[in-house]
Amino acid sequence: MQPSYFSPNASSYLGPQGDPPLSHTGFIILSVIMALFTGPAIVLNATVIIVSLMHKQLRQPLNYALVNMAVADLGTAMTGGVLSVVNNAQGYFSLGRTGCVMEGFAVSLCGITSLCTVALIAVERMFVVCKPLGQMIFQKKHAVGGIAFSWLWSLTWNLPPLFGWGRYELEGVGTSCAPDWHDRDPHNVSYILAYFAVCFAVPCAIIGLSYAKLLWTLHQVSKLACLEGGAVAKAEMKVAFMVILMVLTFLISWLPYAGLAMLVVFNPDVEIHPLVGTVPVYLAKSSTVYNPIIYIYLNKQFRKYAVPFLMCGKEPWDQDDESEAVTTVENATNKVSPS
């Protein structure tokens, strides 16, 4: 008999005849899809960490959050990504109850830390460009404090299931684990609601408000400053494009997952096919690939070292990017701001 681990709600992962929710071919397809996300995620995020250790020029306070996100995303890929590939290839979760709890905790810890770091980056960029506290210089202590807070915040809200408030359970087609959205026990529902509020709604609000303030500042600067060649207007367009891209990928990665979780919590009787429940999980894990591409490889400073590292010394392009646009607008802000 094929070994397996199913939750007390095992029927949600089995068909009407007690069969697995997918055929063997279906599980193999899911394994391949997850491998296509996990492989690049490991390579890209590991590259960011390695080149940051190799080049002192990259170890600047404003880059700390980018490296922290790479560490968190690498952790997600190495735990949830690799295990999803293996378990889907087998067609079942083979690590038992303890393994499920460990995987659920590790993936959630790294995933929420990465999500909080996205919010941290938004706040940092807003402070650097908009200067809400005046001419305060962003220093190492600010960067380290933000990183420590992102990990502590994630740890604080992912530890409770280990001590009885909430729990980690199988999700989707039953080959990976996460906080249990299905249990109707009021004790568990209270945890899920609190988890959604502080680990998704709050970071999402911070990201939205920070980038809205940043875009407003860019718009005001472009009207007040008149630089040769319309540099500020061009910078505004570049940064606006990057902000829209960042927010869209954030929502694509996390909104379906959070939305499905809330749907299950508020409508416990809803019937969701395990495969449908797996799609948001994969979208959330796919952020481990999007993040390094958007936040790091489109940053000229990181790209200067990361791309040659990946291509054995070759650099296929050399072009301006959003980081330079932010610098242009920051300089213009300094010029038009009252002293």
PDB file of all heavy atoms in Angstrom, residues 25-54:
ATOM      1  N   THR A  25      -0.208  11.232 -13.304  1.00  0.00           N
ATOM      2  CA  THR A  25       0.256  12.211 -14.304  1.00  0.00           C
ATOM      3  C   THR A  25       0.031  13.636 -13.813  1.00  0.00           C
ATOM      4  O   THR A  25       0.876  14.517 -14.000  1.00  0.00           O
ATOM      5  CB  THR A  25      -0.483  12.004 -15.640  1.00  0.00           C
ATOM      6  OG1 THR A  25      -0.243  10.666 -16.107  1.00  0.00           O
ATOM      7  CG2 THR A  25      -0.004  13.014 -16.685  1.00  0.00           C
ATOM      8  N   GLY A  26      -1.121  13.860 -13.176  1.00  0.00           N
ATOM      9  CA  GLY A  26      -1.419  15.183 -12.637  1.00  0.00           C
ATOM     10  C   GLY A  26      -0.406  15.619 -11.600  1.00  0.00           C
ATOM     11  O   GLY A  26       0.050  16.779 -11.596  1.00  0.00           O
ATOM     12  N   PHE A  27      -0.034  14.708 -10.715  1.00  0.00           N
ATOM     13  CA  PHE A  27       0.968  15.031  -9.697  1.00  0.00           C
ATOM     14  C   PHE A  27       2.330  15.316 -10.337  1.00  0.00           C
ATOM     15  O   PHE A  27       3.047  16.218  -9.900  1.00  0.00           O
ATOM     16  CB  PHE A  27       1.099  13.877  -8.688  1.00  0.00           C
ATOM     17  CG  PHE A  27       0.061  13.892  -7.607  1.00  0.00           C
ATOM     18  CD1 PHE A  27      -0.894  12.891  -7.516  1.00  0.00           C
ATOM     19  CD2 PHE A  27       0.037  14.908  -6.667  1.00  0.00           C
ATOM     20  CE1 PHE A  27      -1.848  12.902  -6.518  1.00  0.00           C
ATOM     21  CE2 PHE A  27      -0.909  14.931  -5.656  1.00  0.00           C
ATOM     22  CZ  PHE A  27      -1.866  13.925  -5.583  1.00  0.00           C
ATOM     23  N   ILE A  28       2.675  14.561 -11.368  1.00  0.00           N
ATOM     24  CA  ILE A  28       3.951  14.783 -12.049  1.00  0.00           C
ATOM     25  C   ILE A  28       3.977  16.161 -12.708  1.00  0.00           C
ATOM     26  O   ILE A  28       4.988  16.879 -12.657  1.00  0.00           O
ATOM     27  CB  ILE A  28       4.199  13.686 -13.117  1.00  0.00           C
ATOM     28  CG1 ILE A  28       4.415  12.328 -12.443  1.00  0.00           C
ATOM     29  CG2 ILE A  28       5.399  14.056 -13.987  1.00  0.00           C
ATOM     30  CD1 ILE A  28       5.648  12.269 -11.537  1.00  0.00           C
ATOM     31  N   ILE A  29       2.851  16.563 -13.304  1.00  0.00           N
ATOM     32  CA  ILE A  29       2.774  17.889 -13.928  1.00  0.00           C
ATOM     33  C   ILE A  29       2.972  18.985 -12.882  1.00  0.00           C
ATOM     34  O   ILE A  29       3.710  19.955 -13.107  1.00  0.00           O
ATOM     35  CB  ILE A  29       1.424  18.068 -14.647  1.00  0.00           C
ATOM     36  CG1 ILE A  29       1.346  17.144 -15.868  1.00  0.00           C
ATOM     37  CG2 ILE A  29       1.224  19.527 -15.073  1.00  0.00           C
ATOM     38  CD1 ILE A  29      -0.002  17.141 -16.552  1.00  0.00           C
ATOM     39  N   LEU A  30       2.327  18.819 -11.713  1.00  0.00           N
ATOM     40  CA  LEU A  30       2.504  19.795 -10.634  1.00  0.00           C
ATOM     41  C   LEU A  30       3.959  19.828 -10.165  1.00  0.00           C
ATOM     42  O   LEU A  30       4.510  20.898  -9.864  1.00  0.00           O
ATOM     43  CB  LEU A  30       1.593  19.457  -9.452  1.00  0.00           C
ATOM     44  CG  LEU A  30       0.104  19.746  -9.610  1.00  0.00           C
ATOM     45  CD1 LEU A  30      -0.643  19.386  -8.339  1.00  0.00           C
ATOM     46  CD2 LEU A  30      -0.132  21.210  -9.957  1.00  0.00           C
ATOM     47  N   SER A  31       4.579  18.674 -10.114  1.00  0.00           N
ATOM     48  CA  SER A  31       5.981  18.597  -9.700  1.00  0.00           C
ATOM     49  C   SER A  31       6.880  19.350 -10.678  1.00  0.00           C
ATOM     50  O   SER A  31       7.782  20.093 -10.270  1.00  0.00           O
ATOM     51  CB  SER A  31       6.419  17.135  -9.609  1.00  0.00           C
ATOM     52  OG  SER A  31       7.778  17.039  -9.202  1.00  0.00           O
ATOM     53  N   VAL A  32       6.619  19.175 -11.972  1.00  0.00           N
ATOM     54  CA  VAL A  32       7.410  19.857 -13.000  1.00  0.00           C
ATOM     55  C   VAL A  32       7.214  21.373 -12.907  1.00  0.00           C
ATOM     56  O   VAL A  32       8.168  22.151 -12.985  1.00  0.00           O
ATOM     57  CB  VAL A  32       7.035  19.347 -14.403  1.00  0.00           C
ATOM     58  CG1 VAL A  32       7.689  20.201 -15.481  1.00  0.00           C
ATOM     59  CG2 VAL A  32       7.445  17.887 -14.565  1.00  0.00           C
ATOM     60  N   ILE A  33       5.946  21.801 -12.734  1.00  0.00           N
ATOM     61  CA  ILE A  33       5.660  23.240 -12.628  1.00  0.00           C
ATOM     62  C   ILE A  33       6.384  23.843 -11.430  1.00  0.00           C
ATOM     63  O   ILE A  33       7.003  24.909 -11.522  1.00  0.00           O
ATOM     64  CB  ILE A  33       4.140  23.480 -12.502  1.00  0.00           C
ATOM     65  CG1 ILE A  33       3.438  23.092 -13.802  1.00  0.00           C
ATOM     66  CG2 ILE A  33       3.855  24.939 -12.144  1.00  0.00           C
ATOM     67  CD1 ILE A  33       1.918  23.144 -13.720  1.00  0.00           C
ATOM     68  N   MET A  34       6.332  23.136 -10.300  1.00  0.00           N
ATOM     69  CA  MET A  34       6.996  23.651  -9.103  1.00  0.00           C
ATOM     70  C   MET A  34       8.503  23.679  -9.295  1.00  0.00           C
ATOM     71  O   MET A  34       9.184  24.589  -8.805  1.00  0.00           O
ATOM     72  CB  MET A  34       6.636  22.768  -7.905  1.00  0.00           C
ATOM     73  CG  MET A  34       6.876  23.433  -6.562  1.00  0.00           C
ATOM     74  SD  MET A  34       5.790  24.851  -6.317  1.00  0.00           S
ATOM     75  CE  MET A  34       6.971  26.113  -5.883  1.00  0.00           C
ATOM     76  N   ALA A  35       9.036  22.702 -10.023  1.00  0.00           N
ATOM     77  CA  ALA A  35      10.482  22.673 -10.290  1.00  0.00           C
ATOM     78  C   ALA A  35      10.899  23.862 -11.148  1.00  0.00           C
ATOM     79  O   ALA A  35      11.990  24.424 -10.962  1.00  0.00           O
ATOM     80  CB  ALA A  35      10.864  21.361 -10.979  1.00  0.00           C
ATOM     81  N   LEU A  36      10.022  24.264 -12.087  1.00  0.00           N
ATOM     82  CA  LEU A  36      10.325  25.408 -12.946  1.00  0.00           C
ATOM     83  C   LEU A  36      10.386  26.709 -12.152  1.00  0.00           C
ATOM     84  O   LEU A  36      11.064  27.653 -12.553  1.00  0.00           O
ATOM     85  CB  LEU A  36       9.274  25.517 -14.058  1.00  0.00           C
ATOM     86  CG  LEU A  36       9.276  24.384 -15.082  1.00  0.00           C
ATOM     87  CD1 LEU A  36       8.124  24.562 -16.081  1.00  0.00           C
ATOM     88  CD2 LEU A  36      10.612  24.345 -15.837  1.00  0.00           C
ATOM     89  N   PHE A  37       9.669  26.779 -11.039  1.00  0.00           N
ATOM     90  CA  PHE A  37       9.760  27.934 -10.154  1.00  0.00           C
ATOM     91  C   PHE A  37      10.933  27.800  -9.186  1.00  0.00           C
ATOM     92  O   PHE A  37      11.680  28.751  -8.944  1.00  0.00           O
ATOM     93  CB  PHE A  37       8.468  28.092  -9.333  1.00  0.00           C
ATOM     94  CG  PHE A  37       7.312  28.632 -10.109  1.00  0.00           C
ATOM     95  CD1 PHE A  37       6.087  27.973 -10.118  1.00  0.00           C
ATOM     96  CD2 PHE A  37       7.429  29.806 -10.834  1.00  0.00           C
ATOM     97  CE1 PHE A  37       5.001  28.475 -10.830  1.00  0.00           C
ATOM     98  CE2 PHE A  37       6.355  30.321 -11.553  1.00  0.00           C
ATOM     99  CZ  PHE A  37       5.141  29.645 -11.544  1.00  0.00           C
ATOM    100  N   THR A  38      11.088  26.605  -8.629  1.00  0.00           N
ATOM    101  CA  THR A  38      12.056  26.404  -7.548  1.00  0.00           C
ATOM    102  C   THR A  38      13.496  26.503  -8.034  1.00  0.00           C
ATOM    103  O   THR A  38      14.334  27.135  -7.372  1.00  0.00           O
ATOM    104  CB  THR A  38      11.823  25.032  -6.884  1.00  0.00           C
ATOM    105  OG1 THR A  38      10.485  24.966  -6.382  1.00  0.00           O
ATOM    106  CG2 THR A  38      12.800  24.815  -5.740  1.00  0.00           C
ATOM    107  N   GLY A  39      13.803  25.888  -9.176  1.00  0.00           N
ATOM    108  CA  GLY A  39      15.183  25.923  -9.678  1.00  0.00           C
ATOM    109  C   GLY A  39      15.700  27.342  -9.886  1.00  0.00           C
ATOM    110  O   GLY A  39      16.719  27.727  -9.298  1.00  0.00           O
ATOM    111  N   PRO A  40      15.006  28.149 -10.704  1.00  0.00           N
ATOM    112  CA  PRO A  40      15.455  29.537 -10.885  1.00  0.00           C
ATOM    113  C   PRO A  40      15.468  30.333  -9.587  1.00  0.00           C
ATOM    114  O   PRO A  40      16.334  31.190  -9.392  1.00  0.00           O
ATOM    115  CB  PRO A  40      14.421  30.109 -11.868  1.00  0.00           C
ATOM    116  CG  PRO A  40      13.915  28.924 -12.614  1.00  0.00           C
ATOM    117  CD  PRO A  40      13.900  27.812 -11.611  1.00  0.00           C
ATOM    118  N   ALA A  41      14.503  30.083  -8.704  1.00  0.00           N
ATOM    119  CA  ALA A  41      14.455  30.817  -7.436  1.00  0.00           C
ATOM    120  C   ALA A  41      15.714  30.567  -6.607  1.00  0.00           C
ATOM    121  O   ALA A  41      16.297  31.495  -6.033  1.00  0.00           O
ATOM    122  CB  ALA A  41      13.218  30.411  -6.633  1.00  0.00           C
ATOM    123  N   ILE A  42      16.147  29.318  -6.550  1.00  0.00           N
ATOM    124  CA  ILE A  42      17.354  28.987  -5.791  1.00  0.00           C
ATOM    125  C   ILE A  42      18.581  29.643  -6.418  1.00  0.00           C
ATOM    126  O   ILE A  42      19.410  30.240  -5.723  1.00  0.00           O
ATOM    127  CB  ILE A  42      17.530  27.452  -5.710  1.00  0.00           C
ATOM    128  CG1 ILE A  42      16.418  26.835  -4.851  1.00  0.00           C
ATOM    129  CG2 ILE A  42      18.907  27.098  -5.151  1.00  0.00           C
ATOM    130  CD1 ILE A  42      16.431  25.321  -4.827  1.00  0.00           C
ATOM    131  N   VAL A  43      18.691  29.553  -7.744  1.00  0.00           N
ATOM    132  CA  VAL A  43      19.856  30.123  -8.433  1.00  0.00           C
ATOM    133  C   VAL A  43      19.904  31.641  -8.287  1.00  0.00           C
ATOM    134  O   VAL A  43      20.939  32.214  -7.933  1.00  0.00           O
ATOM    135  CB  VAL A  43      19.829  29.732  -9.930  1.00  0.00           C
ATOM    136  CG1 VAL A  43      20.919  30.471 -10.691  1.00  0.00           C
ATOM    137  CG2 VAL A  43      20.000  28.229 -10.095  1.00  0.00           C
ATOM    138  N   LEU A  44      18.777  32.306  -8.544  1.00  0.00           N
ATOM    139  CA  LEU A  44      18.752  33.770  -8.520  1.00  0.00           C
ATOM    140  C   LEU A  44      18.996  34.323  -7.123  1.00  0.00           C
ATOM    141  O   LEU A  44      19.793  35.251  -6.938  1.00  0.00           O
ATOM    142  CB  LEU A  44      17.414  34.280  -9.061  1.00  0.00           C
ATOM    143  CG  LEU A  44      17.132  34.014 -10.536  1.00  0.00           C
ATOM    144  CD1 LEU A  44      15.732  34.487 -10.907  1.00  0.00           C
ATOM    145  CD2 LEU A  44      18.161  34.703 -11.416  1.00  0.00           C
ATOM    146  N   ASN A  45      18.312  33.768  -6.129  1.00  0.00           N
ATOM    147  CA  ASN A  45      18.466  34.284  -4.770  1.00  0.00           C
ATOM    148  C   ASN A  45      19.832  33.952  -4.186  1.00  0.00           C
ATOM    149  O   ASN A  45      20.423  34.773  -3.476  1.00  0.00           O
ATOM    150  CB  ASN A  45      17.352  33.743  -3.873  1.00  0.00           C
ATOM    151  CG  ASN A  45      16.006  34.367  -4.177  1.00  0.00           C
ATOM    152  OD1 ASN A  45      15.807  35.562  -3.995  1.00  0.00           O
ATOM    153  ND2 ASN A  45      15.067  33.564  -4.652  1.00  0.00           N
ATOM    154  N   ALA A  46      20.353  32.771  -4.501  1.00  0.00           N
ATOM    155  CA  ALA A  46      21.693  32.420  -4.039  1.00  0.00           C
ATOM    156  C   ALA A  46      22.733  33.338  -4.672  1.00  0.00           C
ATOM    157  O   ALA A  46      23.702  33.747  -4.016  1.00  0.00           O
ATOM    158  CB  ALA A  46      22.007  30.961  -4.369  1.00  0.00           C
ATOM    159  N   THR A  47      22.528  33.694  -5.947  1.00  0.00           N
ATOM    160  CA  THR A  47      23.441  34.612  -6.634  1.00  0.00           C
ATOM    161  C   THR A  47      23.478  35.966  -5.946  1.00  0.00           C
ATOM    162  O   THR A  47      24.553  36.557  -5.756  1.00  0.00           O
ATOM    163  CB  THR A  47      23.026  34.785  -8.102  1.00  0.00           C
ATOM    164  OG1 THR A  47      23.094  33.520  -8.768  1.00  0.00           O
ATOM    165  CG2 THR A  47      23.930  35.781  -8.814  1.00  0.00           C
ATOM    166  N   VAL A  48      22.310  36.466  -5.563  1.00  0.00           N
ATOM    167  CA  VAL A  48      22.242  37.756  -4.868  1.00  0.00           C
ATOM    168  C   VAL A  48      23.062  37.720  -3.583  1.00  0.00           C
ATOM    169  O   VAL A  48      23.828  38.641  -3.283  1.00  0.00           O
ATOM    170  CB  VAL A  48      20.785  38.114  -4.546  1.00  0.00           C
ATOM    171  CG1 VAL A  48      20.710  39.332  -3.615  1.00  0.00           C
ATOM    172  CG2 VAL A  48      20.013  38.393  -5.819  1.00  0.00           C
ATOM    173  N   ILE A  49      22.899  36.653  -2.824  1.00  0.00           N
ATOM    174  CA  ILE A  49      23.617  36.531  -1.552  1.00  0.00           C
ATOM    175  C   ILE A  49      25.121  36.420  -1.789  1.00  0.00           C
ATOM    176  O   ILE A  49      25.931  37.082  -1.117  1.00  0.00           O
ATOM    177  CB  ILE A  49      23.108  35.301  -0.770  1.00  0.00           C
ATOM    178  CG1 ILE A  49      21.619  35.481  -0.435  1.00  0.00           C
ATOM    179  CG2 ILE A  49      23.922  35.095   0.508  1.00  0.00           C
ATOM    180  CD1 ILE A  49      20.960  34.239   0.106  1.00  0.00           C
ATOM    181  N   ILE A  50      25.519  35.623  -2.763  1.00  0.00           N
ATOM    182  CA  ILE A  50      26.945  35.402  -3.030  1.00  0.00           C
ATOM    183  C   ILE A  50      27.625  36.672  -3.511  1.00  0.00           C
ATOM    184  O   ILE A  50      28.696  37.042  -3.019  1.00  0.00           O
ATOM    185  CB  ILE A  50      27.121  34.270  -4.073  1.00  0.00           C
ATOM    186  CG1 ILE A  50      26.686  32.936  -3.470  1.00  0.00           C
ATOM    187  CG2 ILE A  50      28.576  34.197  -4.540  1.00  0.00           C
ATOM    188  CD1 ILE A  50      26.619  31.806  -4.479  1.00  0.00           C
ATOM    189  N   VAL A  51      27.018  37.370  -4.486  1.00  0.00           N
ATOM    190  CA  VAL A  51      27.668  38.579  -5.012  1.00  0.00           C
ATOM    191  C   VAL A  51      27.695  39.680  -3.954  1.00  0.00           C
ATOM    192  O   VAL A  51      28.594  40.523  -3.955  1.00  0.00           O
ATOM    193  CB  VAL A  51      26.982  39.086  -6.304  1.00  0.00           C
ATOM    194  CG1 VAL A  51      27.106  38.063  -7.403  1.00  0.00           C
ATOM    195  CG2 VAL A  51      25.535  39.475  -6.056  1.00  0.00           C
ATOM    196  N   SER A  52      26.728  39.677  -3.043  1.00  0.00           N
ATOM    197  CA  SER A  52      26.742  40.664  -1.961  1.00  0.00           C
ATOM    198  C   SER A  52      27.892  40.403  -1.006  1.00  0.00           C
ATOM    199  O   SER A  52      28.500  41.340  -0.471  1.00  0.00           O
ATOM    200  CB  SER A  52      25.414  40.641  -1.195  1.00  0.00           C
ATOM    201  OG  SER A  52      24.341  41.006  -2.036  1.00  0.00           O
ATOM    202  N   LEU A  53      28.209  39.137  -0.786  1.00  0.00           N
ATOM    203  CA  LEU A  53      29.340  38.787   0.071  1.00  0.00           C
ATOM    204  C   LEU A  53      30.673  39.046  -0.637  1.00  0.00           C
ATOM    205  O   LEU A  53      31.669  39.383   0.003  1.00  0.00           O
ATOM    206  CB  LEU A  53      29.247  37.311   0.478  1.00  0.00           C
ATOM    207  CG  LEU A  53      28.076  36.928   1.385  1.00  0.00           C
ATOM    208  CD1 LEU A  53      28.038  35.418   1.584  1.00  0.00           C
ATOM    209  CD2 LEU A  53      28.173  37.639   2.728  1.00  0.00           C
ATOM    210  N   MET A  54      30.665  38.924  -1.963  1.00  0.00           N
ATOM    211  CA  MET A  54      31.899  39.094  -2.733  1.00  0.00           C
ATOM    212  C   MET A  54      32.273  40.554  -2.941  1.00  0.00           C
ATOM    213  O   MET A  54      33.464  40.890  -2.996  1.00  0.00           O
ATOM    214  CB  MET A  54      31.752  38.410  -4.108  1.00  0.00           C
ATOM    215  CG  MET A  54      31.704  36.893  -4.053  1.00  0.00           C
ATOM    216  SD  MET A  54      31.342  36.167  -5.683  1.00  0.00           S
ATOM    217  CE  MET A  54      32.682  36.832  -6.683  1.00  0.00           C
TER     218      MET A  54
END
